[in-house]
Amino acid sequence: MWQRGAVTDSAPLDVDLALLGGGGAASLLLAALDRHEVRDLRIAVVDPVRRRGQDRTWAFWGHPGTDLDPLLSASWQQVEVATTARRRVLDLTPLRYAMLRSGPVYDRAAAAERRLDATRIVAPAETVTDDGTRVLVRTGDGRTVRAGWVLDSRPRPPARAGRT
Ligand SMILES: Cc1cc2nc3c(=O)[nH]c(=O)nc-3n(C[C@H](O)[C@H](O)[C@H](O)COP(=O)(O)OP(=O)(O)OC[C@H]3O[C@@H](n4cnc5c(N)ncnc54)[C@H](O)[C@@H]3O)c2cc1C
């Protein structure tokens, strides 16, 4: 039965870029778009959860001098290798090992999202259909997003159920 004005019949939201999942990957992309002063892109972020605070810690190898440097909680440029016979301190240059907490990453992404004037949809992306020209995303709150580009960073369900 067709119901006039039902949420599911609302006009699609047309955007250039839809981010399905607003976690680590989307946060980095939002920050990069903002850093490059992209201001003419229509963006939607679809995630049932608005990520904030400390729910992840990322630790990784890399070169110093990136945009993440001011956000790091810690970084190491030397390692100590100890055995019963010897102890040596090794220089990691040109690499370093770094630790990044999620809070500052999410805060930076939230500020970027505001400056980019992105539309936030607090609902899961349910179906994603690529017709070769546009991608249609149906969301759990009955909306449709029509996008030129999609970054789909929704976690994949595990291939098989595990005990942990
Ligand atoms: C405790 C912990 C420690 C970790 N440590 C490290 C580390 O040291 N180094 C490292 O590289 N990685 C680490 N990881 C892995 C880390 O989670 C990933 O590297 C990173 O967060 C992946 O980013 P992502 O954007 O792909 O996923 P996420 O950051 O998990 O984001 C996925 C988003 O998708 C959203 N979502 C889920 N379902 C839907 C849906 N249907 N529609 C729309 N959105 C949806 C979720 O709400 C979430 O916000 C760690 C993970 C955990 C939990």
Side-chain angles (χ1 to χ4, degrees), residues 19-27 45-51 54-60 97-100 106 120-121 123-126 137 151-155:
L19 305 181
L20 311 184
S27 295
V45 184
V46 181
D47 194 315
V49 179
R50 212 179 253 275
R51 299 269 150 209
Q54 176 54 38
D55 67 356
R56 299 265 198 289
T57 300
W58 295 287
F60 55 92
Y97 193 62
M99 188 174 95
L100 178 64
Y106 297 151
R120 172 63 75 147
I121 297 177
E126 290 196 330
V137 180
L151 173 71
D152 189 353
S153 62
R154 290 171 297 163

Side-chain angles (χ1 to χ4, degrees), residues 78-119:
Q78 292 182 322
V79 289
E80 188 177 288
V81 183
T83 68
T84 47
R86 271 188 83 182
R87 183 177 290 266
R88 274 185 73 188
V89 174
L90 303 174
D91 190 2
L92 298 174
T93 311
L95 294 176
R96 57 106 197 269
Y97 193 62
M99 188 174 95
L100 178 64
R101 295 192 198 280
S102 56
V105 174
Y106 297 151
D107 288 347
R108 186 178 71 162
E113 199 177 315
R114 282 193 296 277
R115 281 191 288 269
L116 292 159
D117 201 21
T119 303

Side-chain angles (χ1 to χ4, degrees), residues 2-158:
W2 185 81
Q3 187 191 354
R4 190 178 183 85
V7 181
T8 45
D9 294 323
S10 58
L13 172 70
D14 273 306
V15 294
D16 301 302
L17 173 65
L19 305 181
L20 311 184
S27 295
L28 296 182
L29 180 58
L30 286 165
L33 292 172
D34 184 37
R35 190 166 64 252
H36 290 284
E37 296 185 358
V38 172
R39 291 291 176 264
D40 51 356
L41 210 63
R42 295 165 303 164
I43 302 170
V45 184
V46 181
D47 194 315
V49 179
R50 212 179 253 275
R51 299 269 150 209
R52 47 170 75 96
Q54 176 54 38
D55 67 356
R56 299 265 198 289
T57 300
W58 295 287
F60 55 92
W61 293 93
H63 291 90
T66 75
D67 63 290
L68 292 175
D69 281 22
L71 308 185
L72 296 178
S73 299
S75 73
W76 296 267
Q77 270 160 328
Q78 292 182 322
V79 289
E80 188 177 288
V81 183
T83 68
T84 47
R86 271 188 83 182
R87 183 177 290 266
R88 274 185 73 188
V89 174
L90 303 174
D91 190 2
L92 298 174
T93 311
L95 294 176
R96 57 106 197 269
Y97 193 62
M99 188 174 95
L100 178 64
R101 295 192 198 280
S102 56
V105 174
Y106 297 151
D107 288 347
R108 186 178 71 162
E113 199 177 315
R114 282 193 296 277
R115 281 191 288 269
L116 292 159
D117 201 21
T119 303
R120 172 63 75 147
I121 297 177
V122 186
E126 290 196 330
T127 62
V128 182
T129 317
D130 184 347
D131 71 4
T133 320
R134 296 250 132 196
V135 182
L136 276 188
V137 180
R138 294 205 189 274
T139 62
D141 60 357
R143 298 168 77 173
T144 302
V145 179
R146 197 161 49 190
W149 289 86
V150 161
L151 173 71
D152 189 353
S153 62
R154 290 171 297 163
R156 282 187 177 197

